Amino acid sequence: MNVSVIGTGYVGLVTGTCLAEIGHQVVCMDDNPAKVEVLLQGRVPIYEPYLDQLVASNIRNGRLRFTTDAAEAAREAAVIFICVNTPPRPDGEADLTYVELATRRIAEQATRDTIITEKSTVPVQTGQWIEKTLAIYKKRPGITFDVASNPEFTREGMAVEDFLHPDRIVVGSPAPGRRRRCANSTPPSWRGGFPVPSTPNAAWTGLSHSWSRISPAPS
């Protein structure tokens, strides 16, 4: 399956590389030309065990590409993962500027029906906001965009292992039929079934997991 990942930070690079490793044709897009150039050489700007080896091997076998061109990433992808940064604003809320930019680019450049899957840490109801943004900026009539949420549960230092051998996968979607299409991008051992809550509930699951990483353990 043709899959794209917008953003090659920690989550995006692990996601794109591991999706290529399980057999998908993956394009990873980032606005930073210097970072993309490093990745095209098979080098990795972060440390994560085994990640550099998987990046290099999947580039060699043609399943993993890197680009700064949003059109190349969005044009033919059946599933697009949004993995961009969502830094906190001064009021503490997540800044969704990069999520909006990624969504607009997808809406303008996609040429086929596509599932847009939010993987960034975002507030509840972001899925509905993405749907509205897609409707506003869609350039080609007849194309259908579906929005899903797939919270990130990988641990730093174990991200590759956690992605390829997960103990849980959550895909949130308001339409149960989208589950089957999203399932095709998951590790093969999990394609038989996993929780499929509504999109807002999946966002809550991801947020609660993020909070559990930073909250002190009860005494």
Side-chain angles (χ1 to χ4, degrees):
M1 179 164 56
N2 291 332
V3 177
S4 289
V5 176
I6 309 297
T8 60
Y10 188 87
V11 172
L13 186 55
V14 170
T15 298
T17 302
C18 290
L19 288 172
E21 178 66 15
I22 63 176
H24 299 296
Q25 294 291 325
V26 180
V27 176
C28 292
M29 181 266 167
D30 199 284
D31 280 327
N32 187 330
K35 181 191 287 188
V36 169
E37 183 59 34
V38 167
L39 291 166
L40 287 170
Q41 296 170 16
R43 296 185 289 130
V44 176
I46 60 173
Y47 176 72
E48 183 64 41
Y50 311 111
L51 186 60
D52 55 346
Q53 302 167 39
L54 295 184
V55 168
S57 65
N58 281 285
I59 288 174
R60 283 196 304 271
N61 64 33
R63 287 200 298 263
L64 181 62
R65 309 199 317 269
F66 296 95
T67 184
T68 57
D69 184 359
E72 181 181 353
R75 199 161 38 227
E76 295 297 331
V79 179
I80 300 177
F81 290 88
I82 296 179
C83 302
V84 297
N85 193 21
T86 54
R89 299 186 316 213
D91 62 2
E93 295 293 323
D95 185 344
L96 300 180
T97 299
Y98 298 119
V99 175
E100 180 179 14
L101 178 59
T103 303
R104 289 183 60 171
R105 286 170 163 173
I106 293 166
E108 292 168 351
Q109 302 294 340
T111 62
R112 57 167 292 172
D113 293 350
T114 306
I115 295 178
I116 293 87
T117 305
E118 47 167 311
K119 211 166 177 69
S120 302
T121 301
V122 294
V124 178
Q125 307 299 331
T126 300
Q128 289 90 322
W129 175 72
I130 289 175
E131 288 179 338
K132 293 177 181 177
T133 304
L134 290 166
I136 291 170
Y137 293 102
K138 183 168 72 171
K139 294 294 187 183
R140 294 171 177 82
I143 290 179
T144 299
F145 293 118
D146 290 327
V147 178
S149 179
N150 178 213
E152 181 59 46
F153 295 120
T154 56
R155 297 165 293 172
E156 191 168 341
M158 293 288 293
V160 170
E161 178 70 18
D162 286 346
F163 192 102
L164 295 177
H165 305 284
D167 63 1
R168 69 195 123 165
I169 295 176
V170 176
V171 175
S173 170
R178 297 173 196 168
R179 167 190 175 179
R180 289 186 294 273
R181 292 175 63 190
C182 289
N184 288 332
S185 68
T186 63
S189 61
W190 274 80
R191 290 180 189 169
F194 44 83
V196 188
S198 65
T199 306
N201 286 341
W204 269 118
T205 303
L207 285 171
S208 64
H209 178 73
S210 297
W211 292 333
S212 72
R213 292 181 182 179
I214 61 175
S215 299
S219 56

